[in-house]
């Protein structure tokens, strides 16, 4: 585990994957390079639902798994928890986060580590959450990460997830396999979304009780969602950068095409659970 304390500094750090060309870079870092800050399927609205439902308060010790560009970290820190630790396996993402200014009211720390093995002490958190990160793990890694969240939380600790899901709950396994393959091909990262019952099973199987659930349409690249998530100026910037670069444009069209083709079977899911 590589640690960074609270630091202040550079405003325009490169996004992770800066050395990869647009044809090969993972989809989330391509979006980040084009200026997208919100990299999760349910957008800011589902994130706000998750944070509201987790009831983050000034006494809380929060661990965020896979903060990426830190967009949710900002919303969490605005709630003034006592402590916040962000764990991401991408050292460039962590270095960028550690170089930014964060509110002084919270003790903020950043670590480069795998979410399945954070290196943090057991029962050191009251709230743990992660967004758009379990979807990209194979089954055993998903289970290890949820077990690590359980280990990090003390009794009555709250756990939140925000991920991609397949609908309906009894989706034909052959179609589910086809969708996973098409998504993985488009975003260049193994995409393994589960159905809502399977997400429940994953979380309850680690010893949590699910207390709240939401599903919303998977509109990550739809114009209305882009404006909600990124603002009008942000959206225009993303569009203009995409139009100016042919390889990025091809990737964006490919990702958007897959999301559209399978839109009847893709959704975003949020679950909040409590540790017994
Ligand atoms: C799609 S981005 C989502 C970022 C952020 N949570 C958000 O919603 O905007 C995926 C992030 O998960 C991180 N990640 C993926 N697998 C991880 C793992 N096993 N441990 C820690 N971080 C991981 C990646 O480095 C990346 O920052």
């Amino acid at each position: 585990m590589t640690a960074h304390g609270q630091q202040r500094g550079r405003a325009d750090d490169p996004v992770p994957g800066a050395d990869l060309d647009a044809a090969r870079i993972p989809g989330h870092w391509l979006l980040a390079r084009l200026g997208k800050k919100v990299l999760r399927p349910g957008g800011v609205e589902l994130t706000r639902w998750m944070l509201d439902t987790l009831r983050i308060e000034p006494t809380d010790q929060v661990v965020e798994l896979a903060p990426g560009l830190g967009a949710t970290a900002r919303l969490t820190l605005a709630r003034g928890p006592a402590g916040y630790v962000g764990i991401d396996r991408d050292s460039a993402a962590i270095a960028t986060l550690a170089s930014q200014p964060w509110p002084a009211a919270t003790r903020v720390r950043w670590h480069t580590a795998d979410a399945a093995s954070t290196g943090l002490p057991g029962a050191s958190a009251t709230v743990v959450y992660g967004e758009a990160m379990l979807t990209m793990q194979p089954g055993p890694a998903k289970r290890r990460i949820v077990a690590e969240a359980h280990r990090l939380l003390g009794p009555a600790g709250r756990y939140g997830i925000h991920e991609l899901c397949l609908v309906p709950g009894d989706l034909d396994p052959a179609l589910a396999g086809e969708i996973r393959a098409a998504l993985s091909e488009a975003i260049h990262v193994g995409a393994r979304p589960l159905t809502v019952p399977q997400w429940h099973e994953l979380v309850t199987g680690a010893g949590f009780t699910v207390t709240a659930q939401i599903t919303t349409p998977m509109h990550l690249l739809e114009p209305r969602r882009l404006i909600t998530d990124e603002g009008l100026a942000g959206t225009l910037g993303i569009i203009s950068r995409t139009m100016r670069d042919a390889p990025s444009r091809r990737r964006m069209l490919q990702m958007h095409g897959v999301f559209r083709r399978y839109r009847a079977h893709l959704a975003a899911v949020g679950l909040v659970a409590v540790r017994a």
Side-chain angles (χ1 to χ4, degrees), residues 28-29 37-40 64 66-68 87-90 113-115 131-133 136-137 145:
H28 50 279
W29 295 144
K37 307 259 184 297
V38 174
L39 305 175
R40 43 202 175 274
E64 177 169 3
I87 302 277
D88 202 290
R89 71 178 174 194
D90 191 301
D114 194 289
E131 299 174 284
M133 54 84 67
M136 63 175 71
Q137 322 291 329
I145 290 171

Side-chain angles (χ1 to χ4, degrees), residues 155-177:
R158 292 98 79 199
Y159 178 46
I161 69 170
H162 169 178
E163 297 289 340
L164 190 59
C165 75
L166 297 173
V167 291
D170 61 352
L171 183 67
D172 171 21
L175 179 55

Side-chain angles (χ1 to χ4, degrees), residues 23-259:
R24 292 185 18 244
I25 191 171
H28 50 279
W29 295 144
L30 175 74
L31 295 176
R33 185 191 284 180
L34 294 170
K36 189 149 177 36
K37 307 259 184 297
V38 174
L39 305 175
R40 43 202 175 274
V44 163
E45 282 177 13
L46 202 149
T47 294
R48 285 191 199 284
W49 173 89
M50 183 185 77
L51 297 181
D52 287 346
T53 310
L54 285 168
R55 293 181 291 97
I56 294 171
E57 293 174 357
T59 51
D60 278 316
Q61 297 290 343
V62 178
V63 174
E64 177 169 3
L65 303 176
L69 301 178
T72 300
R74 258 169 254 290
L75 298 174
T76 295
L77 290 169
R79 293 166 192 245
Y84 169 95
V85 187
I87 302 277
D88 202 290
R89 71 178 174 194
D90 191 301
S91 57
I94 289 294
T96 299
L97 289 165
S99 73
Q100 292 171 6
W102 297 96
T106 302
R107 179 167 184 240
V108 178
R109 285 171 298 150
W110 304 102
H111 295 305
T112 302
D114 194 289
S117 173
T118 61
L120 299 174
S124 59
T126 56
V127 174
V128 176
Y129 66 82
E131 299 174 284
M133 54 84 67
L134 287 171
T135 298
M136 63 175 71
Q137 322 291 329
K142 281 185 175 73
R143 286 190 287 279
R144 284 197 295 274
I145 290 171
V146 180
E148 177 70 352
H150 192 268
R151 187 189 70 81
L152 291 174
L153 287 165
R158 292 98 79 199
Y159 178 46
I161 69 170
H162 169 178
E163 297 289 340
L164 190 59
C165 75
L166 297 173
V167 291
D170 61 352
L171 183 67
D172 171 21
L175 179 55
E178 176 188 319
I179 297 172
R180 290 188 187 116
L183 284 170
S184 302
E185 162 82 20
I187 65 178
H188 295 191
V189 170
R192 300 152 180 113
L194 303 178
T195 61
V196 173
Q198 288 169 337
W199 282 119
H200 270 254
E201 225 175 276
L202 178 75
V203 170
T204 55
F208 289 102
T209 302
V210 175
T211 53
Q213 175 199 314
I214 191 171
T215 53
T216 62
M218 165 41 188
H219 282 170
L220 185 69
L221 298 182
E222 295 301 324
R224 191 179 301 169
R225 173 74 71 70
L226 277 172
I227 293 169
T228 306
D229 284 351
E230 313 295 341
L232 186 56
T235 301
L236 292 175
I238 294 166
I239 292 170
S240 116
R241 282 185 281 276
T242 305
M243 297 313 285
R244 286 202 305 265
D245 182 56
S248 299
R249 196 164 62 241
R250 270 196 295 278
R251 285 289 307 283
M252 284 290 258
L253 288 173
Q254 188 190 10
M255 289 195 278
H256 189 243
V258 172
F259 296 159

Side-chain angles (χ1 to χ4, degrees), residues 2-20:
T2 315
H4 291 265
Q6 203 157 8
Q7 295 176 23
R8 292 170 192 275
R10 315 192 303 276
D12 50 357
D13 302 273
V15 299
D19 51 333
L20 295 175

